[in-house]
Amino acid sequence: MAQYQYNRPAAYLPDPAQGPFVVPMHTLSLPSHWEEPLLRLYHDGMRHGQAQRRRRVPTAAINQLMRATAPDIVTVDSTARFGSENPWLYCQNAYPSAVTNLYIATWLKSLQRDPDDPEAAALLMDCFRDLDTAALGWRPGTVDLLEQKLSPGGTAVPSPHVYRLLPDVLAERIARQAPYEHHGQQLSFRQVAGLTGARGQGAGGAELMSNLIEYVPRRRGGGDGKPAYYAAILRITVRTVPFSPVPRVHVAAGVRRFVTGKVYMPYGKGVSAYLLPDDSLVHDGPQPQRYAVAALEWKNGTTDWRQGGAEGMLARISALDALPSPDRLVKEADHWIHGRDGIRVAIGHQAAMGRHTIGTGLMPSERRRLIEWAEQAIAPELVPVPKLERSAYARLPKKQLKTLPSVPKNKEEKDPADLAAILEQRELNAAHNAQIVRTRLAEALEGEDLTAVVLHQNDAIRDQMIDAAESGLGLAGHRSAQGPDTWVWEAEELTVRLHARPLGALGAPLGGDDVPSRGQEHDKAIEERRTGVARAMAALREAVPGVRLAFVELDGQDAFRHAKRRTDPKHAIRLGCADAGLVTQFIRPPDPDADPEEALADAGLRAAAAWSDGLRQTGVRLVPQHTLGDTLIPSNLNQVAFHLVERRLDGPTGKQQFTPIAVLIRPGAKCVLGKSADMHEWVPYSELLKSLTGRVEDRKNSAEQSALTAAFLKKTLAQLRSAPTLVLAHAQDVRKRWPWLRNDGLEQDRLGLDGGPVQRIGLYGKQLRIVRIADGSRDETAQCWAEGEELHPELEGKQSGGIAMGLWRPRVEGDSDRVFYSSIGKSGTQSKLTNDDAKLTPHTNPTGKNAYRPTVNAWNPGLLELTVACLQPEDDAEAWATFVHQQRFSEDYRAGREGLALPLILHLARLADDYALPHEVEDAIDPTEPSAGAGGEHTSSSQLAFDFDLDDEEKGVCTDS
């Protein structure tokens, strides 16, 4: 199979031949003498400690208001900085002074703690007098869009305003050019009001959105379905690359889908409304050229505009009259989508709202066409980065499992002898693979049996799980007992016992017929179910010693959406199982609305995946074997991944958690190991997972969390000092508490752990290496495509895009040789998609067939950035990057040959988040203590226990006593 030799990232560099990039712009700054009276107003009514912590005046709320009503103003910071050298607002044309003063007055009023307090009102009037807001004005000037400095490690550090203003200027250029056109259909783009709050490296950049696209699906029985609406989006961001003195601009393309009908309002979270009024929402304001973005939120039983309401900011600037009623808008989201009452409104769809007719994402060819159209507008100041070049080392890891030959779809047309040969080879290869997995599992269990329970809702899933166990481990010839509720297989390497029990009331919605309210009622519902599950599992352990793994058939999130979100029992079940010493794997029931044969086939695939995922929770390891030899990579190499397990107050249990963990793959160890910050020794991975449940920790501020993380890092690295060790850290997961991992914190072969001076890596050990991973979240790495004409010259000029798997070397002159990019192949879930499928406009593929498919979910592999930060002398950076790249291909995953999103050890570390379920109970079940509810006669007061009264000898089941 031919391979692409190059990969094209949608990233752009300043062209040094063009010189400085300076543009005219009006700015508004908060005068220095405003700081003292504003802080006095803001701190009024605060305790002394609160005031000391909040030394900057917040502008987040007024920034959000301007995003909704004055989208052409660009805000740069969410906290006020005073002085003419620190502009707060930017605009290409000076905004009317009267409107600006109205916003300032509205902002000052929002800082009051108690507007009805006469003393607070007097303080506000004093503040107005001291500030002299009428004298505030916009200043014309110029802005350097490439202003920057270098970090100690040689990485570009753009000035904070560059992250917001450079994308904004480029987006405005893109919006001005002729519409995007393909196959006779045009899309016109407008800018979207910029995100508020983000500053510096985390800034969201600029966004453009096309005119709305309407798609009318056809019903199965004929006729038109309900129209669905969506739009193309382009995001422009400024990003940096470790050890590169030149910043990048990333251009990303995608789709935004809109709600039709009723809007689901998540509690305490906003839903974005995209507004395009015919005139300004504020009196005497200019007509906006960009989409404004307002937020609707549901709280305490009512829906309202954020900053709205009778006393809110929208009312103070008289903008409410021009906006639709929130109550009506959330009932008829598409009523204003084509324009009504002088305004067009579209409500953004969120994944939590359920299924949408339009699929997500764009395929490579369409992505390429749209981005290459946009990039015309950002020249000549910016030029594309050179194409990424395939690494000389790049290849897949050594195969440990054999590939199963494909069974022809047209089996009846195949020669019987050829078909028999294929089936025989499949059987031989499957037996070979099963024995390897069986051997690894036996090693992880260290001679003990694998005993699991399937808590099922119907016999179909029970049977599929039995088949998955038997086929996944090659146990068909080793079955020694079967049914009615116990299956036993005795192979040479290990014995497997699978017990099946009806889930019953344990899987009922929390709260029964009533949805528990947020807070104590929800806590109580979780506690009751957790305790019931723990008692039932403890009873099972008495009847069937050694149970370590529970497979639970439970409805997926779709069954607990919207108003039922707090009835989902999944987390309570996981807590109860952990209390009883079990790890858990969930599987959805068959789809009752699907074709029975298709539903059964799908259930079989999901059962196989659930079985494999469940085994991994026991710590079984099928680590990818690299192809680099012992000269480049030490044979006895430890792999350790650091990860921060976190939960916020809006998590599933309504409690917070912060737990630094490490996961270890150690040569010679029988299973994957792990530890948390409060553990002294490494424990099996399953023990780490169970230890994360139920923790309710004292709330820690950011400084305390950083100190805890630093101490854990030092202690763990000291324990591994005597052996070759590779540390992997995912930047977006860990850097907020390990700031050395930031682009501007990294220095080659020098390590910083606690915010102090960086030190030579040799001081931490002569055998330590560190690779930092960054993915494409927040467009940190660029979108990419392979150019089809590289392999097919006849596609020249047709903008065909492909998917290229491999390890890639950047070719930017003057950059470091320590940064590489890893990409994976096409997902197996996209077997029916082609790279030419289009969603935005009609399209015909090279064979002449219609490729317009708006309803499918498209997907492109992103670039995973591998920064080989710390090495030992004589190490080969490209070899170490190749090793990490190959760790993405773990064969025991169904998508193992396609590649995981992260290297295996980081993947396992991130999966620990599922067990972060902080929840406190007074009397947690101790699985080592005898259960009062053991046996079939006991039933808890909430009717959650079920009968585990077993007499295996009477049932003819062969078990070990």
Side-chain angles (χ1 to χ4, degrees), residues 406-423:
S406 299
V407 178
K409 292 183 179 179
N410 54 340
K411 290 189 291 184
E412 64 281 354
E413 300 176 12
K414 192 76 175 174
D415 180 86
D418 292 341
L419 180 60
I422 291 173
L423 296 177

Side-chain angles (χ1 to χ4, degrees), residues 679-692:
M679 292 180 177
H680 298 291
E681 301 294 337
W682 296 98
V683 299
Y685 180 65
S686 58
E687 296 302 316
L688 170 68
L689 297 180
K690 289 181 289 187
S691 76
L692 296 173

Side-chain angles (χ1 to χ4, degrees), residues 452-534:
V453 60
V454 178
L455 302 177
H456 59 91
Q457 296 187 37
N458 64 70
D459 291 348
I461 287 294
R462 179 201 63 188
D463 294 343
Q464 293 293 342
M465 289 303 304
I466 293 166
D467 290 344
E470 195 163 80
S471 60
L473 293 175
L475 298 172
H478 303 283
R479 186 184 289 189
S480 61
Q482 62 180 51
D485 50 22
T486 302
W487 286 256
V488 179
W489 298 268
E490 294 178 295
E492 181 180 352
E493 298 87 354
L494 83 162
T495 296
V496 177
R497 305 174 187 278
L498 197 60
H499 300 270
R501 300 290 185 274
L503 178 63
L506 292 177
L510 297 182
D513 295 334
D514 300 320
V515 177
S517 60
R518 188 180 180 89
Q520 291 185 353
E521 190 173 328
H522 188 221
D523 287 346
K524 184 67 175 176
I526 293 175
E527 179 179 348
E528 289 178 354
R529 185 62 51 82
R530 173 184 180 175
T531 304
V533 171

Side-chain angles (χ1 to χ4, degrees), residues 233-466:
I233 58 170
L234 288 165
R235 296 186 303 275
I236 320 294
T237 51
V238 172
R239 296 294 181 252
T240 61
V241 172
F243 314 134
S244 172
V246 186
R248 271 70 164 164
V249 168
H250 292 170
V251 180
V255 295
R256 173 166 290 128
R257 303 171 297 172
F258 300 103
V259 179
T260 55
K262 189 175 181 180
V263 181
Y264 160 60
M265 299 294 298
Y267 183 86
K269 296 181 180 179
V271 172
S272 294
Y274 296 85
L275 317 173
L276 192 60
D278 295 342
D279 202 355
S280 173
L281 294 177
V282 186
H283 183 65
D284 287 338
Q287 181 178 357
Q289 300 303 305
R290 309 181 183 193
Y291 288 106
V293 185
L296 288 163
E297 62 180 359
W298 181 79
K299 212 169 186 178
N300 300 324
T302 61
T303 303
D304 207 343
W305 295 104
R306 191 170 283 170
Q307 283 85 49
E311 301 299 327
M313 289 186 175
L314 284 168
R316 290 172 185 156
I317 63 171
S318 303
L320 275 179
D321 294 341
L323 294 173
S325 159
D327 287 335
R328 186 174 177 194
L329 184 58
V330 298
K331 293 176 183 176
E332 304 174 278
D334 49 343
H335 193 66
W336 284 265
I337 208 161
H338 293 298
R340 188 181 181 91
D341 304 326
I343 191 170
R344 280 175 277 175
V345 183
I347 306 295
H349 178 268
Q350 299 178 4
M353 296 177 180
R355 186 183 178 276
H356 196 282
T357 302
I358 305 301
T360 57
L362 300 175
M363 291 301 285
S365 294
E366 188 166 46
R367 172 184 284 182
R368 176 184 180 181
R369 288 193 297 269
L370 183 55
I371 290 178
E372 289 187 343
W373 168 81
E375 74 182 23
Q376 299 173 66
I378 66 178
E381 288 86 357
L382 292 151
V383 296
V385 301
K387 297 175 186 176
L388 301 173
E389 183 177 63
R390 186 176 292 278
S391 167
Y393 288 134
R395 51 185 173 273
L396 291 172
K398 297 175 185 176
K399 279 193 173 185
Q400 301 175 74
L401 304 181
K402 293 182 178 181
T403 303
L404 301 184
S406 299
V407 178
K409 292 183 179 179
N410 54 340
K411 290 189 291 184
E412 64 281 354
E413 300 176 12
K414 192 76 175 174
D415 180 86
D418 292 341
L419 180 60
I422 291 173
L423 296 177
E424 181 181 4
Q425 191 60 52
R426 277 183 66 90
E427 188 174 338
L428 290 172
N429 290 3
H432 170 270
N433 296 345
Q435 184 172 14
I436 289 178
V437 176
R438 205 163 61 228
T439 301
R440 298 295 172 81
L441 177 59
E443 291 173 353
L445 299 177
E446 297 187 289
E448 295 185 9
D449 298 346
L450 173 65
T451 305
V453 60
V454 178
L455 302 177
H456 59 91
Q457 296 187 37
N458 64 70
D459 291 348
I461 287 294
R462 179 201 63 188
D463 294 343
Q464 293 293 342
M465 289 303 304
I466 293 166

Side-chain angles (χ1 to χ4, degrees), residues 503-506 528 531-537 539 931-949:
L503 178 63
L506 292 177
E528 289 178 354
T531 304
V533 171
R535 287 173 177 163
M537 293 300 101
S931 169
E937 297 180 359
H938 175 78
T939 304
S940 71
S941 59
S942 56
Q943 297 296 307
L944 290 176
F946 45 76
D947 189 358
F948 284 116
D949 189 15

Side-chain angles (χ1 to χ4, degrees), residues 638-655:
N638 286 320
Q639 290 187 60
V640 61
F642 290 104
H643 177 64
L644 303 181
V645 175
E646 297 182 88
R647 286 291 187 192
R648 304 189 315 179
L649 288 174
D650 58 358
T653 59
K655 303 288 191 300

